[in-house]
Amino acid sequence: MKRSDAQILREYGPFPDVDCVHGVSHDGELVWFASGDKLHALDPASGQTLRSLDVPADAGTAFDGEHLFQIAGDTIRKIDPRTGQVLASIAAPNSGDDSGLAWAEGSLWVGQYKARKILQIDPSSGQILRTLESNRFVTGVTWVDGELWHGTWENDESDLRRIDPQTAQVLESVTMPPGIGVSGLESDGADRFFCGGGGSAKVRAVRRPA
């Protein structure tokens, strides 16, 4: 397994009226992050929060190229990012333990924190299509260039892990500095990961290993 230390490129926040950052996603331009009762759109160039949507948002966030998906409690909502309108909803796989959320290959990928799992689910029905097991508490989940990455946060230690999407074998680990946790995780599709910082109320940009 390849190991390296995380290179933090930039910190955003803490943000006004945000107590905790949960899920994080990227729509090709803006970073979206969940703060409990809102989704916020962050411009990663200026560091400014441009707008917010009033939707329940206490766990993972994903973007399918057109719509946002957001976990809150026992529900995953499909949201129009322009208006904040909820277009559809499905049951979350394990209410209260679902953490990260990603979109890839026409599916949603759901991290399960204490269950230490990643589930591939059908975005229309919620049917579980695949289950991957981890040996660490799973937080954010993201796909980039055919690679599946997830965050961990356990005993005040966090890392970003690239795993085999068929076997869940850990192929690479990027260790975060002591005391810095990872809640949400999303790639910008290039050389950066955006990591939610939980109760620090921050979002951090971390260099994706070459």
Side-chain angles (χ1 to χ4, degrees), residues 110-206:
V110 182
Q112 296 196 305
Y113 184 62
K114 291 185 178 179
R116 305 183 184 193
K117 295 178 181 179
I118 298 172
L119 306 179
Q120 178 188 6
I121 69 170
D122 184 299
S124 299
S125 66
Q127 178 185 356
I128 297 172
L129 307 175
R130 187 187 317 182
T131 301
L132 300 172
E133 304 270 355
S134 175
N135 62 357
R136 296 274 290 172
F137 289 167
V138 174
T139 57
V141 183
T142 190
W143 280 84
V144 55
D145 294 338
E147 298 175 353
L148 176 56
W149 290 78
H150 74 86
T152 75
W153 194 344
E154 191 168 352
N155 299 325
D156 294 324
E157 297 177 350
S158 279
D159 67 347
L160 310 179
R161 294 184 169 192
R162 177 167 63 90
I163 65 171
D164 185 307
Q166 301 298 326
T167 67
Q169 177 185 356
V170 181
L171 306 175
E172 185 169 0
S173 172
V174 178
T175 302
M176 298 294 284
I180 293 182
V182 174
S183 49
L185 176 66
E186 179 68 294
S187 164
D188 70 349
D191 58 358
R192 291 177 298 177
F193 290 116
F194 291 101
C195 302
S200 71
K202 294 182 178 182
V203 174
R204 297 178 175 93
V206 175

Side-chain angles (χ1 to χ4, degrees), residues 88-102:
S89 62
I90 57 174
N94 184 9
S95 58
D97 194 41
D98 298 309
S99 51
L101 190 64

Side-chain angles (χ1 to χ4, degrees), residues 6-78:
Q7 181 181 355
I8 296 177
L9 303 173
R10 185 169 177 180
E11 288 193 341
Y12 304 92
F15 302 95
D17 302 319
V18 171
D19 296 325
C20 189
V21 172
H22 302 287
V24 178
S25 195
H26 189 269
D27 67 6
E29 180 181 352
L30 302 176
V31 176
W32 291 85
F33 67 90
S35 68
D37 58 358
K38 293 180 186 294
L39 267 171
H40 307 270
L42 169 70
D43 178 359
S46 69
Q48 298 299 309
T49 302
L50 303 184
R51 57 196 180 94
S52 301
L53 304 177
D54 291 320
V55 292
D58 60 17
T61 312
F63 181 71
D64 69 354
E66 185 177 359
H67 305 103
L68 292 163
F69 290 83
Q70 179 61 53
I71 301 175
D74 60 1
T75 303
I76 300 176
R77 293 174 174 86
K78 181 179 181 180

